């Protein structure tokens, strides 16, 4: 698809330094579109960036006119910025949320439940504002995002494997996963922005394969060129191990272990139908 003919310009990319943002900017520029990239920490050597904070009440003063906006920042930051974007002429919005809205809603960890609630509340606020102001919106909810060497999910596993050579699992690691590459998400966002069928809808975006956690980990070993070595631990012992390792594994929680045996799967058939969603299989290379 020639995005230069389907996107309403000018194009603004919020959260452009994110995993998806780097791919989206590259693809837009290759298509002949000169996007305006927004970040609180823009690269010092790259032109075409705006240093801006979505929470700034004077945000509109620093923004140029916009047509299409891709929001890659945490979606709970977006509602406060919508009035400024409306003032600058937005007519099309593609915003990323997360399937964590559903998978963490009943988590035993209060912070994870709070994230799920924030995602759901922000989505509702975005939909409501856009409906009131005639802005065509699309919300995309990826599953497990990866981008070799850059993400905090699959690449974190790779880092543990490099460090220890073996990967402990909680139980047999039979919970299903659908890892999705950041580049595919950038491609999907552009396709959704240009598809009339995708207007005013939300989509769950999954990767090209559904794998058990153990199979996913095996693919990470293979992507590192290593022989898979995994140890199944009783869930209680795994949870204790994570708790003890928390000083050297920031963000690790017992809930991570319990989820290894839980299916976290979604359906992207509507995205395939409406804007040609076609993600790659999970074959990471590090």
């Amino acid at each position: 698809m020639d995005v230069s003919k389907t996107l309403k310009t000018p194009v603004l990319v919020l959260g452009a330094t994110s995993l998806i943002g780097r791919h989206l900017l590259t693809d837009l520029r290759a298509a002949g579109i000169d996007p305006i990239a927004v970040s609180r920490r823009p690269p010092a050597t790259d032109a075409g960036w705006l240093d801006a904070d979505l929470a700034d009440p004077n945000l509109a003063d620093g923004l140029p006119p916009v047509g299409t906006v891709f929001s890659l920042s945490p979606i709970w930051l977006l509602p406060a910025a919508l009035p400024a974007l409306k003032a600058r002429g937005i007519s099309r919005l593609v915003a990323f949320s997360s399937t964590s809205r559903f998978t963490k809603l009943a988590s035993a960890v209060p912070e994870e439940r709070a994230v799920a609630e924030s995602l759901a509340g922000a989505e509702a606020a975005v939909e409501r504002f856009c409906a009131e102001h005639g802005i065509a919106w699309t919300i995309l909810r990826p599953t497990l995002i990866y981008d070799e060497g850059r993400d905090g999910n699959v690449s974190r596993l790779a880092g543990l494997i490099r460090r220890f050579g073996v990967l402990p699992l909680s139980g047999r690691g039979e919970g299903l996963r659908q890892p999705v590459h950041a580049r595919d998400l950038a491609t999907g966002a552009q396709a959704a922005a240009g598809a009339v069928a995708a207007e005013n809808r939300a989509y769950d975006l999954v990767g090209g394969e559904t794998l058990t956690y153990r199979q996913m980990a095996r693919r990470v070993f293979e992507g590192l060129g290593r022989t898979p070595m995994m140890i199944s631990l009783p869930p209680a012992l795994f949870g204790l191990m994570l708790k003890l390792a928390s000083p050297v594994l920031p963000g690790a929680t017992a809930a991570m272990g319990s989820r290894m045996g839980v299916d976290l799967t979604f359906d992207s058939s509507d995205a395939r139908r409406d804007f040609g969603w076609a993600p790659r299989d999970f074959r990471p290379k590090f």
Side-chain angles (χ1 to χ4, degrees):
M1 180 184 67
D2 186 349
V3 296
S4 65
K5 296 179 180 178
T6 57
L7 291 187
K8 299 174 182 178
T9 55
V11 175
L12 187 72
V13 180
L14 306 177
T17 54
S18 65
L19 291 176
I20 303 168
R22 57 188 295 271
H23 295 298
L24 182 58
L25 293 179
T26 297
D27 292 347
L28 289 172
R29 289 165 179 162
I33 295 174
D34 190 16
I36 305 153
V38 178
S39 175
R40 288 182 299 169
R41 294 178 295 275
T45 58
D46 197 344
W49 286 73
L50 288 178
D51 184 352
D53 188 336
L54 298 187
D56 185 349
N58 299 314
L59 177 64
D61 296 340
L63 292 179
V66 299
T68 298
V69 174
F70 293 96
S71 178
L72 315 178
S73 302
I75 195 171
W76 52 77
L77 300 177
L78 182 57
L82 286 173
L85 296 172
K86 172 61 178 174
R88 303 310 293 152
I90 180 177
S91 59
R92 186 71 175 95
L93 171 68
V94 176
F96 277 88
S97 182
S98 171
T99 53
S100 292
R101 168 185 173 170
F102 307 110
T103 60
K104 294 183 178 179
L105 192 58
S107 171
V109 181
E111 293 80 6
E112 292 187 346
R113 293 198 303 273
V115 167
E117 292 166 3
S118 294
L119 291 168
E123 286 188 21
V126 168
E127 293 176 21
R128 184 166 55 249
F129 184 94
C130 290
E132 291 173 355
H133 295 277
I135 300 167
W137 59 271
T138 302
I139 290 175
L140 305 176
R141 305 186 192 106
T143 50
L144 186 72
I145 303 175
Y146 72 101
D147 190 356
E148 293 91 338
R150 300 178 179 88
D151 66 279
N153 299 312
V154 169
S155 295
R156 192 179 202 182
L157 284 183
L160 291 173
I161 291 167
R162 284 194 182 103
R163 184 174 181 180
F164 300 109
V166 63
L167 186 69
L169 300 178
S170 177
R172 295 185 56 81
E174 293 181 336
L176 298 178
R177 297 294 185 271
Q178 298 164 312
V180 58
H181 200 282
R183 174 169 284 285
D184 293 336
L185 292 169
T187 301
Q190 295 167 75
V196 174
E199 292 181 0
N200 307 324
R201 295 200 56 181
Y203 298 89
D204 301 325
L205 296 186
V206 308
E209 289 186 281
T210 299
L211 309 163
T212 65
Y213 195 97
R214 176 181 288 273
Q215 289 172 327
M216 182 179 75
R218 177 178 290 275
R219 296 278 182 88
V220 176
F221 273 98
E222 293 168 353
L224 289 165
R226 299 199 179 199
T227 300
M229 295 183 63
M230 290 172 277
I231 301 175
S232 294
L233 300 176
L237 178 58
F238 186 90
L240 176 61
M241 183 191 70
L242 274 186
K243 184 177 181 180
L244 295 175
S246 59
V248 294
L249 294 175
T253 67
M256 292 178 178
S258 63
R259 280 197 292 269
M260 284 187 189
V262 176
D263 294 346
L264 304 179
T265 56
F266 295 85
D267 181 14
S268 289
S269 58
D270 53 353
R272 291 195 297 271
R273 177 195 66 219
D274 290 349
F275 55 91
W277 175 245
R280 71 193 68 189
D281 288 347
F282 184 64
R283 300 282 179 183
K285 296 295 181 183
F286 296 90

